[in-house]
């Protein structure tokens, strides 16, 4: 009986570990090629606003972080830096700086979803025509699937 329980426990641990690794590694394995530093620099050259993502935010942790420079222009938003990998990242513009999951959820309905972030080193996103950067003050990277705050920065 003890042998049977030990087998069940060890196989359960192996299954849980494999599942967790799959959730972590799948976005990395399926991510498209990020834009080059040159492409991001060219995109950011015409930016109206810039901001900095830093790791030391209250809502960030060892698995959810971003660091680098975000540049916002009328037509596109460019990021030069790195983020922790994860599934289903979205970029939002928010009316004020939020630095935790709870703060973001409080303003999510007033925020504008710009688009999907599919790469973890550099990205360039088009700004939808119905979004005016002047209506917002900050940018947030949010994991929609797991409801996790990744990083944020003010830009004006």
């Amino acid at each position: 009986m003890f042998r049977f329980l030990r087998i069940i426990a060890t196989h359960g641990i192996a299954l849980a570990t494999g599942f967790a690794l799959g959730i972590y590694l799948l976005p990395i394995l399926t991510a498209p090629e990020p834009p080059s530093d040159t492409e991001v620099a060219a995109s950011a050259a015409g930016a109206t606003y810039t901001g900095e993502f830093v790791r030391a935010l209250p809502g960030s942790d060892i698995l959810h972080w971003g660091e680098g420079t975000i540049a916002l222009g009328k037509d596109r938003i460019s990021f030069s830096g790195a983020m922790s990998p994860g599934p289903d990242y979205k970029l939002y513009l928010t009316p004020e700086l939020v630095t935790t999951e709870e703060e973001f959820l409080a303003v999510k309905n007033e925020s504008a979803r710009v688009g999907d972030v599919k790469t973890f080193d550099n990205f360039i996103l088009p700004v939808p025509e119905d979004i005016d950067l002047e209506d917002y003050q900050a940018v947030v990277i949010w994991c929609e699937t797991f409801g996790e705050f990744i990083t944020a920065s003010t830009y004006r």
Side-chain angles (χ1 to χ4, degrees), residues 12-13 54 71 129:
I13 290 169
V54 296
E129 290 183 19

Side-chain angles (χ1 to χ4, degrees), residues 24 60-65 83-86 89 149-150:
Y24 181 77
S60 296
D61 58 35
I62 194 166
L63 296 175
H64 309 101
W65 56 268
M83 284 185 289
S84 60
Y89 284 5
F149 174 86
I150 306 304

Side-chain angles (χ1 to χ4, degrees), residues 98-117:
V98 295
T99 59
T100 66
E101 177 181 323
E102 294 78 17
E103 290 174 356
F104 176 69
L105 291 173
V107 299
K108 188 174 181 184
N109 290 336
E110 305 164 43
S111 303
R113 187 166 127 184
V114 175
D116 298 339
V117 176

Side-chain angles (χ1 to χ4, degrees), residues 31-97:
E33 189 70 27
S36 70
D37 291 337
T38 305
E39 292 170 309
V40 172
S43 175
T48 308
Y49 302 106
T50 60
E52 291 291 324
F53 289 148
V54 296
R55 284 188 186 224
L57 294 176
S60 296
D61 58 35
I62 194 166
L63 296 175
H64 309 101
W65 56 268
E67 60 185 358
T69 302
I70 189 100
L72 297 90
K74 181 179 180 243
D75 299 328
R76 67 185 140 238
I77 297 175
S78 309
F79 172 68
S80 175
M83 284 185 289
S84 60
D88 202 22
Y89 284 5
K90 309 294 183 203
L91 185 140
Y92 283 87
L93 298 179
T94 58
E96 60 193 44
L97 177 64

